Amino acid sequence: MPLHQGFLDELRGIVGTDALVLTTEGRMTYECDMHTFYKGAPDAVVLPARAEQVQAVVRLCRRAKVPIVPRGSGTGLIGGAMAAHGGVMVSMTRMTAVLDVDLPNRCATVQPGLINLWLTHAVAERGWFFAPDPSSQMVSSIGGNVSTNAGGPHCLKYGITTNHVLGLEMVTGAGELVRLGGKVAERPGYDLTGVAVGSEGTFGLVTAITVRLTHTPEAVKTALAAFRSMVDASEAVSAIIAAGMIPAALEMLDEAIIKAINAGTGAGFPEGAGAVLLIELDGPRAEVETQAQRAAEICRQRGAISVSVARDDAERALLWKGRKEAAGAVGRLTAAYLLQDAVVPRSKLPQIMRELVSIAERHRLLIANVFHAGDGNLHPLICYDDRDPDQLARAKQANDELLHACIALGGSVTGEHGIGADKCQSLTLQFAEADLNFMYRLRGAFDPDRLMNPGKLLPTHPACGEGFRPARPVLPAGTWV
Amino acid sequence: MSVTTRALGDALRARLGPDGATDDPASRAAAAVDGWQPRWVARPRSLEEAAHVLALAHDEGLAVLPRGSGSAQGLGGPPDRADVVLDLARLDAVLEHSPDDLTVTVQAGVTAGALAAALAARRQTLPLDPPGWPRRTLGGIGATAASGPLRLRYGTMRDLLLGVRFIQADGVTTWGGAKVVKSVTGYDVPKLLVGSLGTLGVIGELTLRLHPLSEVEATGLLLLPSPEAAQDTVARIVDSTLQPNRLEWLDPGALAACRLPTAPAALAISIGSVESAVRAQHAAIAEIATAAGARVETVGPAFWRTYDRTLAETGSTLLRVATLTSRLTPTLNAIRSALGAEASFIVTACAPLGVLRVAIDAGDPTALGQAIERLRAFVAEDEGSVVIERGPIALRTLVDPWGPVPAGALELMRILKREFDPRRSLNPGRFVGGI
């Protein structure tokens, strides 16, 4: 839908000429996020510098019924920050300020475009950090993290983004600039902050975020255990949790990833290992020392072929090196892959790993795994050759079967990446009509015209548009007059 | 279509059985809220029965007041109407405990005490300890977002509720969230239900994140020479690598109520971990305490039971004052000056989070109301709040028990209420802004 000249003039009037992108080449750079399956260039891109500009853009778009798509760094994995229905994309890359750091009250307020790791850099010297640590934290924005309610390796102990967001300033889809929550730990009323985190831009545009900061732990201890198989390693994960430990991180890598990493710069994972478990404990020194020994012991009891505990920071960095190189190493395995983010109850890991192996064999595909085992959050990489349509079809089929298997075990469609355009039709696996109906209406409270990031997060209903029909109890007829 | 009293009673009894729905005077009197006697008390034994009550009430335009243990009935404004009290105490089943996943699913009427007993054998815990927690129901703790000392380390219901099955005003049973510890599938509906006082839906089942019980937990009491010294000590602990389970501030009145030695201010600090770490951290705390001129005493595990009883039972009025951690002492002074020298009250606080509890013995509601407004003006500077967590109806009629909510946020809350409960069947008038 091309935009009228008058509309564009007004847009330019709000943000200025240098903050408006209209050229085809310019718009094409915004046509997708990291999930390049989903492409949709916006008709215009604006780069506002202030909340008032954001509000004026939303009000203008609302008047003209033009869709609005928020975008942070564009590092999402779900086809969230792309303009499925055209319209105006609002890029937050100019709103990157740290507005306030208040260490006595353990919080900071930042603009949405600020890169996640920059906040930690701003407070690290004084002994603090921002706990949510998605693997993209060097490039992803905190606004984007809020939008998808991002997780990361260390959220096993520290919780995901929502557990660290105290307040939001946002422009709702209705064009209102509202402040939700804030520095103080609690305030009366509905928890609108809590429900807005993870809404993937479908409620509005966040213009400032107040987050909880976490004190750096006294000690960190990392251990690496190699196992013959994923099933053995999965059983060790359950045993560690059952022994009363909540490690800071509990990450698993499978044989395919281990080989790929060793073939590259080489973290030197044990050859012949079918799975590697990276266990990180942090907290008070005495606790960490004791628990690291116990975790190592549990791994040995569960048949680990080797267990090494880092003695210092240098050794610790070496153990993490492989995990951090996993994404790059995948390039050595395959040109293309489908990435899953489903979750199973962690006690079901051995079961889902067996299932995964059989799905891979059935479809003659390589499925590589590097994932957050501690909370059962899988990240299978289903590898295929993108020159071979048959392989792609099989990869999609395998992807689908795996997702169904996770849900059948009581799991969830996505643990930390979000829904976006990619998984919205999968919501029906997990939610009944009444549940989806509730979500549609919830969204309408913030975005009455449904102009905010359309086509994302919620599925469309085949029968009656967006109107899922819930089931009510049947009341007996004729009981009353 | 309206219904006669008799016919509606018949409809309720037809579905819930003779003991599931009653209009006998004693039951109605026992379930009264702020002087409002409901016309019926419904005690469903299943979620389906509860949904039936709500559907019926919705169609007939009746007001429904959900009830758990009844311990938070003094929270919020007096209801505008009261036709049916929906007593959820019989929904008391622990549906599924999965120890290896550290999750549990319970019905709303399960008490925190009953759950603690069920989890103890596996050395797991749901670390929610609002005042009087053992007899409070989990549905009630969810609806009120009530919290206690353990929130310092483990957060509140907001952080522990993974999934929720609730019944909407029109009787539609709805699920939000997930049964696994990590999920971002769909909107975070559980967050909306927590603390909504049943005004958007009635919580029927909760899936909760559990934690391992600390192997060893030991509590130290720091008796400090002044509130300022206590404030400094809190700041030093916050800015350290110490990891307390609880860190509570007690004023002299609270010390007396707990039968502890007196001091101008005291901090009770519990550390839970492996034995060696508990010892090391208490040694570090002793060092900080000595520097602040504190006397350190060890108190036994029974202290927290005494403390809980004190919080639950002291004062006919209980205020929750939320402010900044760095402003504890000025807020304490403001509380003293607002209530006046003659008032009888005790103050405790979850110090590192800036949440104070003021338990006040009976006083003149008008004077108390004015004191609350003065205190609200004081904490407003830091966007803090003063909520009457319990108090006599006369007080809650005089002053808004919740205090002001910023206009933009309140408008969104009203839109949500209109969307999900357009007939105002659920707890009408009891929530913020008269919702």
Side-chain angles (χ1 to χ4, degrees), chain A residues 351-365 367 398 401-402 405:
Chain A
Q351 217 170 319
I352 197 69
M353 284 304 142
R354 280 187 208 104
E355 186 74 20
L356 187 143
V357 168
S358 100
I359 289 172
E361 282 172 1
R362 198 155 63 235
H363 295 286
R364 290 167 288 123
L365 291 164
I367 303 183
E401 286 172 21
L402 192 53

Side-chain angles (χ1 to χ4, degrees), chain A residues 102-106 126 128 148-149 151-152 155-157 160 162-163 165 172 178-195 197-200 202-203 212 215-218 238 241-242 244-246 282-284 286-287 290-291 294 341 343-348 372 374-375 377 410-419 427 430-431 434-435 437-446 457-458 470-476 479-481, chain B residues 1-4 7-8 10-11 14 48 51-52 54-56 58-60 98-102 122 147 151-153 158-159 166 168 170-189 191-196 199-200 209-212 215 238-241 243 272-274 276-277 280-281 320 322-327 352-353 355 382-385 387 402-406 408-409 412-417 419-420 431-432 435:
Chain A
D102 183 354
L103 294 182
N105 294 306
R106 306 188 296 157
R126 288 173 278 175
W128 296 81
T148 57
N149 197 1
C155 68
L156 174 58
K157 173 173 176 178
I160 57 179
T162 188
N163 302 108
V165 176
T172 65
V178 295
R179 296 193 53 213
L180 313 174
K183 274 186 180 184
V184 166
E186 55 184 51
R187 60 185 60 206
Y190 301 135
D191 182 4
L192 300 178
T193 308
V195 80
V197 174
S199 59
E200 298 186 6
T202 61
F203 284 5
R212 178 69 81 203
H215 202 282
T216 316
E218 183 183 17
S238 269
I241 300 286
M245 284 177 261
I246 309 263
D282 71 13
E287 176 181 298
T290 308
Q291 293 194 339
R294 282 185 199 167
D341 180 42
V343 184
V344 292
R346 55 195 148 206
S347 61
K348 300 289 200 296
H372 313 308
D375 36 33
N377 187 187
S412 176
V413 168
T414 171
E416 58 181 11
H417 296 170
I419 300 292
L427 250 64
Q430 200 170 328
F431 294 108
D435 316 336
N437 173 274
F438 190 88
M439 290 191 212
Y440 275 109
R441 292 156 67 200
L442 175 58
R443 184 254 180 95
F446 289 84
L457 200 147
L458 292 171
R472 285 190 78 207
V474 179
L475 300 176
T479 320
W480 52 81
V481 278
Chain B
M1 177 169 58
S2 93
V3 174
T4 64
L8 191 59
D10 289 347
E48 292 71 28
H52 187 87
L54 284 165
L56 199 58
H58 179 263
D59 285 3
E60 297 305 325
S98 179
D100 290 355
D101 296 314
L102 282 169
R122 296 301 300 257
S147 64
R151 72 177 290 182
L152 173 61
R153 177 153 181 195
R158 176 190 203 273
D159 303 289
F166 61 103
Q168 295 187 49
D170 60 1
V172 174
T173 301
T174 310
W175 167 258
K179 287 202 165 185
V180 286
V181 293
K182 189 178 180 191
S183 171
V184 294
T185 309
Y187 296 124
D188 197 344
V189 171
K191 296 276 188 297
L192 189 63
L193 273 290
V194 173
S196 65
T199 56
L200 296 175
R209 176 197 297 275
L210 302 174
H211 281 267
E215 258 175 59
V238 164
D239 190 14
S240 77
T241 56
Q243 189 183 276
S273 184
V274 299
S276 55
Q281 288 188 74
R320 275 177 85 78
T323 183
L324 295 175
T325 314
S326 59
R327 303 270 292 156
L353 290 167
V355 178
D382 299 307
E383 301 184 315
S385 62
V387 171
W402 302 100
V405 174
L412 281 169
M413 292 175 200
R414 293 209 160 109
I415 292 171
L416 286 165
K417 176 67 174 179
E419 179 63 42
F420 293 114
F431 200 50
V432 298
I435 284 174

